[in-house]
Amino acid sequence: MRLIKAIVEEGSITRAMDVLFLSQSALSYQLKEAELQIGTKLFFRVNKKLVLTPAGKKLYSTATRVLAELDETEEEIRRMMDGESGTIRISTECYTSYHWLPPVLKKFKSEFPNVEIEIVFEATHHPIEKLLAGELDLAITSNPEHPEQIEFIQLFSDEMLAVVSDQHPWAKREYVVSEDFQDVTLIIHSLPLDTVSIFRTQLTPKGLHPKKLIILPLTEASIELVKANMGVIVLANWAMKPYINGQVKVVRINPDGFFRQQYIARMRNRKYPVYFDYFIRFLREELRINAETETLQ
């Protein structure tokens, strides 16, 4: 519709090209595609000029009306977005997840400058509890608890891998299984154990427990212990990328891998302002990009 409208109102293909930022070949191709979709010619070519056919006149009339309405709607949405104000309180069950947020915040603030994003760090590791208590608006989690009260929107799936020293017995193995964790010192970020994905899905259901447990909330410090062959840690593929070098190795968990589904959680019975939907969309886009670009090969 915009193509037809530009050709008619600009009076020539050359000026329509400038308005639509298309090359002549691209414009000609799109016009041909439009005529194929409609099933008939939209222009007669008379003395090197384009003159609307009856079908073209009908389409131009419709385009004038519909595009004006679309443009008006887009402007109304823009005004609505600019005028929206409020706060989004968000947290996640893992500190390493916070590196996702800055690109999302930058993009979101450009669209909703009057909406504040409050990262509730003290809710980390217990986001669902805080969501249920009304202390959060959104929670990032891999544990879909209380589904009758909470809506879980899929974000992406990441693979969890074991990180070990190059001197560790696992370093040359293609993969390990749940039972292998009984013989190692496992480093985790925090308690309780049911918030740790390897325990929640791989160890606890089988009644398994590592030989020794080290609780260390800092990934950098944990990696140093791994380098010293003092334990192993399980991290998402994207989270461990900055730390992989000749001193540490990654090992798959299970023959087909161990994957964790990430969700954005929100209350089912709550009516959220429209900017929440935009924030979730921006977050999903950013996480998809992270998953595609930061996955270890």
mmCIF file of all heavy atoms in Angstrom, residues 65-111:
data_model
loop_
_atom_site.group_PDB
_atom_site.id
_atom_site.type_symbol
_atom_site.label_atom_id
_atom_site.label_comp_id
_atom_site.label_asym_id
_atom_site.label_seq_id
_atom_site.Cartn_x
_atom_site.Cartn_y
_atom_site.Cartn_z
ATOM 1 N N ARG A 65 -6.848 5.525 2.950
ATOM 2 C CA ARG A 65 -7.641 5.451 4.173
ATOM 3 C C ARG A 65 -6.955 4.619 5.258
ATOM 4 O O ARG A 65 -6.816 5.046 6.410
ATOM 5 C CB ARG A 65 -9.011 4.857 3.842
ATOM 6 C CG ARG A 65 -9.964 4.813 5.040
ATOM 7 C CD ARG A 65 -11.296 4.186 4.683
ATOM 8 N NE ARG A 65 -11.198 2.748 4.460
ATOM 9 C CZ ARG A 65 -11.207 2.180 3.265
ATOM 10 N NH1 ARG A 65 -11.302 2.916 2.169
ATOM 11 N NH2 ARG A 65 -11.105 0.858 3.146
ATOM 12 N N VAL A 66 -6.497 3.430 4.890
ATOM 13 C CA VAL A 66 -5.931 2.500 5.871
ATOM 14 C C VAL A 66 -4.618 3.017 6.434
ATOM 15 O O VAL A 66 -4.381 2.963 7.648
ATOM 16 C CB VAL A 66 -5.741 1.104 5.235
ATOM 17 C CG1 VAL A 66 -4.936 0.198 6.160
ATOM 18 C CG2 VAL A 66 -7.086 0.478 4.906
ATOM 19 N N LEU A 67 -3.738 3.536 5.581
ATOM 20 C CA LEU A 67 -2.438 4.004 6.057
ATOM 21 C C LEU A 67 -2.573 5.222 6.958
ATOM 22 O O LEU A 67 -1.814 5.387 7.915
ATOM 23 C CB LEU A 67 -1.521 4.310 4.875
ATOM 24 C CG LEU A 67 -1.071 3.072 4.078
ATOM 25 C CD1 LEU A 67 -0.265 3.489 2.861
ATOM 26 C CD2 LEU A 67 -0.255 2.131 4.954
ATOM 27 N N ALA A 68 -3.558 6.086 6.646
ATOM 28 C CA ALA A 68 -3.797 7.238 7.513
ATOM 29 C C ALA A 68 -4.222 6.771 8.900
ATOM 30 O O ALA A 68 -3.774 7.303 9.924
ATOM 31 C CB ALA A 68 -4.863 8.142 6.905
ATOM 32 N N GLU A 69 -5.068 5.741 8.928
ATOM 33 C CA GLU A 69 -5.526 5.215 10.213
ATOM 34 C C GLU A 69 -4.373 4.535 10.965
ATOM 35 O O GLU A 69 -4.234 4.684 12.177
ATOM 36 C CB GLU A 69 -6.668 4.222 9.986
ATOM 37 C CG GLU A 69 -7.298 3.721 11.274
ATOM 38 C CD GLU A 69 -8.533 2.872 11.017
ATOM 39 O OE1 GLU A 69 -9.060 2.911 9.885
ATOM 40 O OE2 GLU A 69 -8.962 2.168 11.957
ATOM 41 N N LEU A 70 -3.544 3.799 10.229
ATOM 42 C CA LEU A 70 -2.394 3.146 10.858
ATOM 43 C C LEU A 70 -1.423 4.168 11.428
ATOM 44 O O LEU A 70 -0.918 4.015 12.538
ATOM 45 C CB LEU A 70 -1.676 2.263 9.843
ATOM 46 C CG LEU A 70 -2.283 0.890 9.554
ATOM 47 C CD1 LEU A 70 -1.511 0.203 8.435
ATOM 48 C CD2 LEU A 70 -2.265 0.019 10.803
ATOM 49 N N ASP A 71 -1.139 5.216 10.664
ATOM 50 C CA ASP A 71 -0.221 6.247 11.136
ATOM 51 C C ASP A 71 -0.766 6.934 12.388
ATOM 52 O O ASP A 71 -0.020 7.234 13.327
ATOM 53 C CB ASP A 71 0.028 7.278 10.031
ATOM 54 C CG ASP A 71 0.841 6.701 8.873
ATOM 55 O OD1 ASP A 71 1.506 5.675 9.086
ATOM 56 O OD2 ASP A 71 0.809 7.284 7.773
ATOM 57 N N GLU A 72 -2.071 7.173 12.395
ATOM 58 C CA GLU A 72 -2.691 7.806 13.552
ATOM 59 C C GLU A 72 -2.614 6.886 14.772
ATOM 60 O O GLU A 72 -2.333 7.334 15.884
ATOM 61 C CB GLU A 72 -4.145 8.146 13.246
ATOM 62 C CG GLU A 72 -4.865 8.846 14.399
ATOM 63 C CD GLU A 72 -6.312 9.171 14.056
ATOM 64 O OE1 GLU A 72 -6.702 9.022 12.878
ATOM 65 O OE2 GLU A 72 -7.057 9.560 14.975
ATOM 66 N N THR A 73 -2.840 5.586 14.535
ATOM 67 C CA THR A 73 -2.768 4.620 15.627
ATOM 68 C C THR A 73 -1.360 4.542 16.199
ATOM 69 O O THR A 73 -1.164 4.497 17.421
ATOM 70 C CB THR A 73 -3.202 3.227 15.135
ATOM 71 O OG1 THR A 73 -4.541 3.294 14.656
ATOM 72 C CG2 THR A 73 -3.111 2.193 16.260
ATOM 73 N N GLU A 74 -0.355 4.507 15.326
ATOM 74 C CA GLU A 74 1.035 4.459 15.792
ATOM 75 C C GLU A 74 1.365 5.693 16.625
ATOM 76 O O GLU A 74 2.059 5.598 17.641
ATOM 77 C CB GLU A 74 1.977 4.357 14.589
ATOM 78 C CG GLU A 74 1.950 3.001 13.908
ATOM 79 C CD GLU A 74 2.869 2.945 12.710
ATOM 80 O OE1 GLU A 74 3.525 3.961 12.414
ATOM 81 O OE2 GLU A 74 2.942 1.882 12.064
ATOM 82 N N GLU A 75 0.879 6.840 16.213
ATOM 83 C CA GLU A 75 1.144 8.061 16.959
ATOM 84 C C GLU A 75 0.446 8.033 18.317
ATOM 85 O O GLU A 75 1.013 8.462 19.333
ATOM 86 C CB GLU A 75 0.680 9.279 16.154
ATOM 87 C CG GLU A 75 0.937 10.617 16.821
ATOM 88 C CD GLU A 75 2.398 10.858 17.129
ATOM 89 O OE1 GLU A 75 3.262 10.356 16.366
ATOM 90 O OE2 GLU A 75 2.687 11.564 18.117
ATOM 91 N N GLU A 76 -0.774 7.503 18.355
ATOM 92 C CA GLU A 76 -1.477 7.391 19.627
ATOM 93 C C GLU A 76 -0.738 6.452 20.577
ATOM 94 O O GLU A 76 -0.618 6.725 21.778
ATOM 95 C CB GLU A 76 -2.900 6.875 19.384
ATOM 96 C CG GLU A 76 -3.827 7.902 18.742
ATOM 97 C CD GLU A 76 -5.206 7.333 18.480
ATOM 98 O OE1 GLU A 76 -5.405 6.129 18.777
ATOM 99 O OE2 GLU A 76 -6.066 8.071 17.985
ATOM 100 N N ILE A 77 -0.227 5.341 20.034
ATOM 101 C CA ILE A 77 0.535 4.397 20.858
ATOM 102 C C ILE A 77 1.805 5.051 21.376
ATOM 103 O O ILE A 77 2.186 4.886 22.538
ATOM 104 C CB ILE A 77 0.857 3.123 20.058
ATOM 105 C CG1 ILE A 77 -0.426 2.323 19.791
ATOM 106 C CG2 ILE A 77 1.870 2.250 20.804
ATOM 107 C CD1 ILE A 77 -0.235 1.135 18.884
ATOM 108 N N ARG A 78 2.469 5.813 20.512
ATOM 109 C CA ARG A 78 3.682 6.502 20.925
ATOM 110 C C ARG A 78 3.401 7.488 22.053
ATOM 111 O O ARG A 78 4.146 7.549 23.042
ATOM 112 C CB ARG A 78 4.297 7.229 19.712
ATOM 113 C CG ARG A 78 5.513 8.083 20.026
ATOM 114 C CD ARG A 78 6.661 7.235 20.481
ATOM 115 N NE ARG A 78 7.041 6.276 19.454
ATOM 116 C CZ ARG A 78 8.005 5.371 19.601
ATOM 117 N NH1 ARG A 78 8.643 5.293 20.754
ATOM 118 N NH2 ARG A 78 8.307 4.540 18.638
ATOM 119 N N ARG A 79 2.308 8.235 21.924
ATOM 120 C CA ARG A 79 1.952 9.187 22.982
ATOM 121 C C ARG A 79 1.611 8.450 24.266
ATOM 122 O O ARG A 79 1.954 8.892 25.362
ATOM 123 C CB ARG A 79 0.766 10.052 22.533
ATOM 124 C CG ARG A 79 1.112 11.064 21.440
ATOM 125 C CD ARG A 79 0.019 12.122 21.333
ATOM 126 N NE ARG A 79 -1.269 11.553 20.991
ATOM 127 C CZ ARG A 79 -1.725 11.412 19.749
ATOM 128 N NH1 ARG A 79 -0.983 11.809 18.728
ATOM 129 N NH2 ARG A 79 -2.906 10.892 19.513
ATOM 130 N N MET A 80 0.933 7.306 24.121
ATOM 131 C CA MET A 80 0.576 6.521 25.287
ATOM 132 C C MET A 80 1.827 6.002 25.987
ATOM 133 O O MET A 80 1.951 6.063 27.214
ATOM 134 C CB MET A 80 -0.304 5.338 24.861
ATOM 135 C CG MET A 80 -0.695 4.410 25.993
ATOM 136 S SD MET A 80 -1.596 2.964 25.390
ATOM 137 C CE MET A 80 -0.286 2.078 24.560
ATOM 138 N N MET A 81 2.791 5.515 25.194
ATOM 139 C CA MET A 81 4.023 4.993 25.757
ATOM 140 C C MET A 81 4.826 6.076 26.450
ATOM 141 O O MET A 81 5.350 5.899 27.542
ATOM 142 C CB MET A 81 4.850 4.328 24.652
ATOM 143 C CG MET A 81 4.237 3.045 24.124
ATOM 144 S SD MET A 81 4.970 2.480 22.579
ATOM 145 C CE MET A 81 6.655 2.205 23.085
ATOM 146 N N ASP A 82 4.920 7.226 25.817
ATOM 147 C CA ASP A 82 5.680 8.333 26.405
ATOM 148 C C ASP A 82 5.041 8.812 27.701
ATOM 149 O O ASP A 82 5.722 9.278 28.609
ATOM 150 C CB ASP A 82 5.783 9.497 25.410
ATOM 151 C CG ASP A 82 6.705 9.170 24.244
ATOM 152 O OD1 ASP A 82 7.499 8.220 24.377
ATOM 153 O OD2 ASP A 82 6.626 9.851 23.216
ATOM 154 N N GLY A 83 3.715 8.675 27.775
ATOM 155 C CA GLY A 83 3.029 9.177 28.955
ATOM 156 C C GLY A 83 2.943 8.182 30.089
ATOM 157 O O GLY A 83 2.620 8.539 31.210
ATOM 158 N N GLU A 84 3.237 6.884 29.807
ATOM 159 C CA GLU A 84 3.166 5.867 30.846
ATOM 160 C C GLU A 84 4.232 6.122 31.905
ATOM 161 O O GLU A 84 5.370 6.453 31.599
ATOM 162 C CB GLU A 84 3.381 4.480 30.242
ATOM 163 C CG GLU A 84 2.208 3.976 29.410
ATOM 164 C CD GLU A 84 1.123 3.358 30.261
ATOM 165 O OE1 GLU A 84 1.188 3.466 31.492
ATOM 166 O OE2 GLU A 84 0.202 2.763 29.683
ATOM 167 N N SER A 85 3.867 5.971 33.140
ATOM 168 C CA SER A 85 4.837 6.115 34.218
ATOM 169 C C SER A 85 4.564 5.039 35.264
ATOM 170 O O SER A 85 3.436 4.574 35.425
ATOM 171 C CB SER A 85 4.749 7.501 34.855
ATOM 172 O OG SER A 85 3.475 7.708 35.435
ATOM 173 N N GLY A 86 5.606 4.633 35.948
ATOM 174 C CA GLY A 86 5.458 3.613 36.973
ATOM 175 C C GLY A 86 6.800 2.980 37.287
ATOM 176 O O GLY A 86 7.849 3.493 36.915
ATOM 177 N N THR A 87 6.760 1.832 37.971
ATOM 178 C CA THR A 87 7.970 1.127 38.383
ATOM 179 C C THR A 87 7.796 -0.364 38.148
ATOM 180 O O THR A 87 6.717 -0.915 38.384
ATOM 181 C CB THR A 87 8.263 1.376 39.879
ATOM 182 O OG1 THR A 87 8.417 2.770 40.102
ATOM 183 C CG2 THR A 87 9.534 0.655 40.311
ATOM 184 N N ILE A 88 8.842 -0.992 37.667
ATOM 185 C CA ILE A 88 8.882 -2.449 37.533
ATOM 186 C C ILE A 88 9.933 -2.979 38.499
ATOM 187 O O ILE A 88 11.117 -2.656 38.383
ATOM 188 C CB ILE A 88 9.233 -2.881 36.098
ATOM 189 C CG1 ILE A 88 8.159 -2.416 35.112
ATOM 190 C CG2 ILE A 88 9.393 -4.403 36.024
ATOM 191 C CD1 ILE A 88 8.484 -2.721 33.662
ATOM 192 N N ARG A 89 9.498 -3.764 39.486
ATOM 193 C CA ARG A 89 10.425 -4.367 40.445
ATOM 194 C C ARG A 89 10.715 -5.793 39.977
ATOM 195 O O ARG A 89 9.805 -6.594 39.812
ATOM 196 C CB ARG A 89 9.813 -4.379 41.842
ATOM 197 C CG ARG A 89 9.487 -2.995 42.404
ATOM 198 C CD ARG A 89 8.612 -3.119 43.649
ATOM 199 N NE ARG A 89 7.348 -3.796 43.341
ATOM 200 C CZ ARG A 89 6.506 -4.266 44.258
ATOM 201 N NH1 ARG A 89 6.797 -4.143 45.547
ATOM 202 N NH2 ARG A 89 5.375 -4.855 43.890
ATOM 203 N N ILE A 90 11.993 -6.093 39.772
ATOM 204 C CA ILE A 90 12.365 -7.376 39.193
ATOM 205 C C ILE A 90 13.545 -7.972 39.937
ATOM 206 O O ILE A 90 14.384 -7.245 40.492
ATOM 207 C CB ILE A 90 12.700 -7.220 37.688
ATOM 208 C CG1 ILE A 90 12.894 -8.594 37.035
ATOM 209 C CG2 ILE A 90 13.912 -6.317 37.479
ATOM 210 C CD1 ILE A 90 12.982 -8.545 35.521
ATOM 211 N N SER A 91 13.601 -9.302 39.968
ATOM 212 C CA SER A 91 14.739 -10.000 40.553
ATOM 213 C C SER A 91 14.879 -11.343 39.846
ATOM 214 O O SER A 91 14.031 -11.726 39.044
ATOM 215 C CB SER A 91 14.556 -10.194 42.058
ATOM 216 O OG SER A 91 15.758 -10.650 42.655
ATOM 217 N N THR A 92 15.949 -12.042 40.167
ATOM 218 C CA THR A 92 16.231 -13.329 39.539
ATOM 219 C C THR A 92 16.799 -14.275 40.577
ATOM 220 O O THR A 92 17.243 -13.844 41.646
ATOM 221 C CB THR A 92 17.219 -13.167 38.367
ATOM 222 O OG1 THR A 92 17.547 -14.460 37.845
ATOM 223 C CG2 THR A 92 18.493 -12.470 38.817
ATOM 224 N N GLU A 93 16.798 -15.568 40.276
ATOM 225 C CA GLU A 93 17.287 -16.543 41.241
ATOM 226 C C GLU A 93 18.792 -16.740 41.175
ATOM 227 O O GLU A 93 19.355 -17.533 41.920
ATOM 228 C CB GLU A 93 16.579 -17.886 41.030
ATOM 229 C CG GLU A 93 16.888 -18.557 39.713
ATOM 230 C CD GLU A 93 16.053 -19.809 39.474
ATOM 231 O OE1 GLU A 93 15.176 -20.113 40.307
ATOM 232 O OE2 GLU A 93 16.273 -20.471 38.454
ATOM 233 N N CYS A 94 19.463 -16.002 40.263
ATOM 234 C CA CYS A 94 20.903 -16.196 40.085
ATOM 235 C C CYS A 94 21.572 -14.867 39.791
ATOM 236 O O CYS A 94 21.148 -14.149 38.878
ATOM 237 C CB CYS A 94 21.150 -17.184 38.944
ATOM 238 S SG CYS A 94 22.883 -17.505 38.619
ATOM 239 N N TYR A 95 22.620 -14.523 40.534
ATOM 240 C CA TYR A 95 23.313 -13.245 40.331
ATOM 241 C C TYR A 95 23.894 -13.117 38.926
ATOM 242 O O TYR A 95 23.954 -12.019 38.369
ATOM 243 C CB TYR A 95 24.450 -13.093 41.357
ATOM 244 C CG TYR A 95 23.994 -12.660 42.723
ATOM 245 C CD1 TYR A 95 24.188 -13.479 43.833
ATOM 246 C CD2 TYR A 95 23.375 -11.431 42.918
ATOM 247 C CE1 TYR A 95 23.766 -13.099 45.100
ATOM 248 C CE2 TYR A 95 22.951 -11.035 44.181
ATOM 249 C CZ TYR A 95 23.144 -11.876 45.270
ATOM 250 O OH TYR A 95 22.719 -11.476 46.508
ATOM 251 N N THR A 96 24.328 -14.240 38.340
ATOM 252 C CA THR A 96 24.933 -14.149 37.010
ATOM 253 C C THR A 96 23.936 -13.683 35.957
ATOM 254 O O THR A 96 24.328 -13.199 34.897
ATOM 255 C CB THR A 96 25.501 -15.520 36.591
ATOM 256 O OG1 THR A 96 24.460 -16.501 36.640
ATOM 257 C CG2 THR A 96 26.639 -15.945 37.504
ATOM 258 N N SER A 97 22.648 -13.814 36.256
ATOM 259 C CA SER A 97 21.630 -13.401 35.288
ATOM 260 C C SER A 97 21.557 -11.891 35.125
ATOM 261 O O SER A 97 21.011 -11.398 34.131
ATOM 262 C CB SER A 97 20.252 -13.929 35.709
ATOM 263 O OG SER A 97 20.250 -15.332 35.786
ATOM 264 N N TYR A 98 22.088 -11.138 36.078
ATOM 265 C CA TYR A 98 21.928 -9.696 36.025
ATOM 266 C C TYR A 98 22.682 -9.053 34.874
ATOM 267 O O TYR A 98 22.418 -7.893 34.533
ATOM 268 C CB TYR A 98 22.347 -9.062 37.358
ATOM 269 C CG TYR A 98 21.348 -9.310 38.461
ATOM 270 C CD1 TYR A 98 21.707 -10.005 39.612
ATOM 271 C CD2 TYR A 98 20.031 -8.877 38.348
ATOM 272 C CE1 TYR A 98 20.794 -10.244 40.623
ATOM 273 C CE2 TYR A 98 19.110 -9.120 39.351
ATOM 274 C CZ TYR A 98 19.500 -9.803 40.493
ATOM 275 O OH TYR A 98 18.578 -10.044 41.486
ATOM 276 N N HIS A 99 23.607 -9.763 34.249
ATOM 277 C CA HIS A 99 24.305 -9.146 33.115
ATOM 278 C C HIS A 99 23.395 -9.008 31.897
ATOM 279 O O HIS A 99 23.700 -8.283 30.972
ATOM 280 C CB HIS A 99 25.563 -9.954 32.758
ATOM 281 C CG HIS A 99 25.322 -11.030 31.746
ATOM 282 N ND1 HIS A 99 24.690 -12.207 32.058
ATOM 283 C CD2 HIS A 99 25.618 -11.096 30.426
ATOM 284 C CE1 HIS A 99 24.626 -12.954 30.969
ATOM 285 N NE2 HIS A 99 25.171 -12.309 29.964
ATOM 286 N N TRP A 100 22.232 -9.708 31.917
ATOM 287 C CA TRP A 100 21.261 -9.543 30.830
ATOM 288 C C TRP A 100 20.610 -8.165 30.853
ATOM 289 O O TRP A 100 20.209 -7.645 29.816
ATOM 290 C CB TRP A 100 20.114 -10.548 30.964
ATOM 291 C CG TRP A 100 20.471 -11.978 30.902
ATOM 292 C CD1 TRP A 100 21.541 -12.550 30.255
ATOM 293 C CD2 TRP A 100 19.751 -13.061 31.494
ATOM 294 N NE1 TRP A 100 21.512 -13.904 30.430
ATOM 295 C CE2 TRP A 100 20.435 -14.254 31.175
ATOM 296 C CE3 TRP A 100 18.590 -13.129 32.259
ATOM 297 C CZ2 TRP A 100 20.001 -15.507 31.589
ATOM 298 C CZ3 TRP A 100 18.150 -14.371 32.677
ATOM 299 C CH2 TRP A 100 18.841 -15.548 32.351
ATOM 300 N N LEU A 101 20.455 -7.597 32.041
ATOM 301 C CA LEU A 101 19.535 -6.475 32.201
ATOM 302 C C LEU A 101 19.978 -5.138 31.591
ATOM 303 O O LEU A 101 19.142 -4.424 31.050
ATOM 304 C CB LEU A 101 19.193 -6.291 33.679
ATOM 305 C CG LEU A 101 18.328 -7.411 34.280
ATOM 306 C CD1 LEU A 101 18.064 -7.139 35.754
ATOM 307 C CD2 LEU A 101 17.013 -7.553 33.534
ATOM 308 N N PRO A 102 21.261 -4.742 31.678
ATOM 309 C CA PRO A 102 21.616 -3.414 31.153
ATOM 310 C C PRO A 102 21.179 -3.150 29.713
ATOM 311 O O PRO A 102 20.590 -2.088 29.445
ATOM 312 C CB PRO A 102 23.142 -3.375 31.312
ATOM 313 C CG PRO A 102 23.393 -4.236 32.492
ATOM 314 C CD PRO A 102 22.403 -5.359 32.396
ATOM 315 N N PRO A 103 21.409 -4.061 28.736
ATOM 316 C CA PRO A 103 20.923 -3.786 27.375
ATOM 317 C C PRO A 103 19.404 -3.645 27.308
ATOM 318 O O PRO A 103 18.879 -2.829 26.544
ATOM 319 C CB PRO A 103 21.405 -4.996 26.567
ATOM 320 C CG PRO A 103 22.518 -5.578 27.359
ATOM 321 C CD PRO A 103 22.156 -5.333 28.786
ATOM 322 N N VAL A 104 18.705 -4.450 28.122
ATOM 323 C CA VAL A 104 17.245 -4.367 28.143
ATOM 324 C C VAL A 104 16.799 -3.031 28.713
ATOM 325 O O VAL A 104 15.888 -2.377 28.180
ATOM 326 C CB VAL A 104 16.647 -5.524 28.979
ATOM 327 C CG1 VAL A 104 15.124 -5.415 29.036
ATOM 328 C CG2 VAL A 104 17.058 -6.860 28.402
ATOM 329 N N LEU A 105 17.432 -2.595 29.796
ATOM 330 C CA LEU A 105 17.066 -1.331 30.436
ATOM 331 C C LEU A 105 17.292 -0.157 29.492
ATOM 332 O O LEU A 105 16.469 0.754 29.417
ATOM 333 C CB LEU A 105 17.877 -1.132 31.721
ATOM 334 C CG LEU A 105 17.715 -2.205 32.801
ATOM 335 C CD1 LEU A 105 18.446 -1.794 34.065
ATOM 336 C CD2 LEU A 105 16.246 -2.460 33.100
ATOM 337 N N LYS A 106 18.409 -0.180 28.779
ATOM 338 C CA LYS A 106 18.713 0.909 27.845
ATOM 339 C C LYS A 106 17.649 1.004 26.755
ATOM 340 O O LYS A 106 17.142 2.087 26.451
ATOM 341 C CB LYS A 106 20.091 0.691 27.227
ATOM 342 C CG LYS A 106 20.518 1.794 26.273
ATOM 343 C CD LYS A 106 21.920 1.530 25.734
ATOM 344 C CE LYS A 106 22.329 2.642 24.767
ATOM 345 N NZ LYS A 106 23.695 2.387 24.216
ATOM 346 N N LYS A 107 17.309 -0.142 26.182
ATOM 347 C CA LYS A 107 16.304 -0.155 25.113
ATOM 348 C C LYS A 107 14.938 0.235 25.650
ATOM 349 O O LYS A 107 14.208 1.020 25.035
ATOM 350 C CB LYS A 107 16.258 -1.546 24.474
ATOM 351 C CG LYS A 107 15.302 -1.657 23.299
ATOM 352 C CD LYS A 107 15.403 -3.036 22.658
ATOM 353 C CE LYS A 107 14.473 -3.151 21.452
ATOM 354 N NZ LYS A 107 14.561 -4.493 20.821
ATOM 355 N N PHE A 108 14.585 -0.300 26.818
ATOM 356 C CA PHE A 108 13.273 -0.028 27.394
ATOM 357 C C PHE A 108 13.123 1.447 27.768
ATOM 358 O O PHE A 108 12.084 2.055 27.524
ATOM 359 C CB PHE A 108 13.060 -0.909 28.623
ATOM 360 C CG PHE A 108 11.726 -0.736 29.274
ATOM 361 C CD1 PHE A 108 10.586 -1.305 28.730
ATOM 362 C CD2 PHE A 108 11.587 0.009 30.433
ATOM 363 C CE1 PHE A 108 9.344 -1.156 29.317
ATOM 364 C CE2 PHE A 108 10.350 0.170 31.036
ATOM 365 C CZ PHE A 108 9.227 -0.413 30.476
ATOM 366 N N LYS A 109 14.157 2.039 28.361
ATOM 367 C CA LYS A 109 14.084 3.436 28.790
ATOM 368 C C LYS A 109 13.944 4.374 27.602
ATOM 369 O O LYS A 109 13.352 5.455 27.728
ATOM 370 C CB LYS A 109 15.320 3.804 29.603
ATOM 371 C CG LYS A 109 15.373 3.153 30.976
ATOM 372 C CD LYS A 109 14.248 3.630 31.886
ATOM 373 C CE LYS A 109 14.487 5.030 32.399
ATOM 374 N NZ LYS A 109 13.450 5.441 33.379
ATOM 375 N N SER A 110 14.470 3.997 26.446
ATOM 376 C CA SER A 110 14.298 4.839 25.264
ATOM 377 C C SER A 110 12.850 4.869 24.809
ATOM 378 O O SER A 110 12.397 5.846 24.203
ATOM 379 C CB SER A 110 15.194 4.336 24.121
ATOM 380 O OG SER A 110 14.746 3.082 23.628
ATOM 381 N N GLU A 111 12.101 3.808 25.107
ATOM 382 C CA GLU A 111 10.692 3.733 24.732
ATOM 383 C C GLU A 111 9.771 4.225 25.849
ATOM 384 O O GLU A 111 8.729 4.830 25.580
ATOM 385 C CB GLU A 111 10.327 2.280 24.384
ATOM 386 C CG GLU A 111 11.102 1.681 23.216
ATOM 387 C CD GLU A 111 10.613 2.215 21.884
ATOM 388 O OE1 GLU A 111 9.579 2.911 21.852
ATOM 389 O OE2 GLU A 111 11.278 1.929 20.870
#
